[in-house]
């Protein structure tokens, strides 16, 4: 489920079963030399998050991406977002990002860092295969946390 009008209505009716929030963290770099890479990272994170949502529909809610400029990073951001989501009733909160900066937060919050894979020039079947491979890396991270409760 996604954080939109239709899915939120379903979420409210099934809140007892949807215990996980996924938050894409995406870095926006508008410098000429890094803008394309930044766009590729956003594309990858959003594609992977969408793929995860398809596989676990009814178990998790995908939040809108939290976008930030590289110069405006706040080290406390993940903990603040996680606290708000826990207060809203989510037992598990996972952040997904391609920004290596956030890996240091992995000791405090559930941070899933994956290197960006440029998807823009791939045909649909190759893109799906890549996303399936990435999902196989993410599933154990989710399953481990889900099994702890």
């Amino acid at each position: 489920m996604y954080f939109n009008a239709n899915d939120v209505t379903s979420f409210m009716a099934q809140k007892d079963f949807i215990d996980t929030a996924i938050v894409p963290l995406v870095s926006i770099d508008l410098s000429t030399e890094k803008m394309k890479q930044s766009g590729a990272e956003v594309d990858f994170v959003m594609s992977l998050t969408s793929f995860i949502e398809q596989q676990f529909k009814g178990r998790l809610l995908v939040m809108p991406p939290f976008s930030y400029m590289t110069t405006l990073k706040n080290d406390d951001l993940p903990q603040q977002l996680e606290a708000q989501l826990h207060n809203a009733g989510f037992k598990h909160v996972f952040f997904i990002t391609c920004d290596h900066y956030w890996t240091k937060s992995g000791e405090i919050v559930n941070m899933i860092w994956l290197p960006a894979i440029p998807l823009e020039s791939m045909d649909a079947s190759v893109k799906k295969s890549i996303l399936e491979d990435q999902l196989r890396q993410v599933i154990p991270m989710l399953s481990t946390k889900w099994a702890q409760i």
Side-chain angles (χ1 to χ4, degrees):
M1 297 182 164
Y2 292 98
F3 192 83
N4 61 40
N6 288 334
D7 285 358
V8 167
T9 301
S10 297
F11 166 75
M12 296 304 288
Q14 301 170 22
K15 195 172 185 176
D16 293 340
F17 305 104
I18 303 165
D19 64 353
T20 303
I22 301 282
V23 181
L25 289 178
V26 295
S27 172
I28 308 297
D29 192 327
L30 300 176
S31 66
T32 305
E33 58 276 354
K34 294 185 179 177
M35 188 182 292
K36 183 168 174 93
Q37 175 63 28
S38 180
E41 289 175 4
V42 171
D43 186 31
F44 176 73
V45 167
M46 297 313 298
S47 294
L48 180 59
T49 304
S50 177
F51 199 69
I52 292 169
E53 189 278 338
Q54 290 170 14
Q55 303 306 309
F56 294 104
K57 192 171 201 79
R59 176 71 197 259
L60 54 82
L61 182 69
V62 176
M63 302 305 292
F66 188 88
S67 305
Y68 58 91
M69 305 299 271
T70 55
T71 57
L72 299 176
K73 288 179 185 170
N74 175 345
D75 287 347
D76 297 329
L77 172 74
Q79 296 102 301
Q80 292 170 356
L81 291 171
E82 181 183 55
Q84 291 293 315
L85 291 164
H86 282 308
N87 287 340
F90 291 98
K91 293 177 188 161
H92 307 284
V93 178
F94 292 91
F95 297 91
I96 297 182
T97 188
C98 290
D99 187 347
H100 196 268
Y101 176 84
W102 296 114
T103 57
K104 66 182 181 181
S105 297
E107 298 169 5
I108 302 166
V109 298
N110 296 318
M111 187 68 62
I112 299 172
W113 173 82
L114 295 165
I117 298 172
L119 301 172
E120 72 271 6
S121 61
M122 295 180 186
D123 69 30
S125 64
V126 173
K127 182 177 177 178
K128 184 177 183 216
S129 176
I130 295 287
L131 291 172
E132 286 171 346
D133 288 343
Q134 295 302 304
L135 180 64
R136 280 192 279 281
Q137 292 182 44
V138 172
I139 287 175
M141 296 175 207
L142 298 174
S143 298
T144 298
K145 295 296 180 181
W146 286 338
Q148 290 178 354
I149 295 232

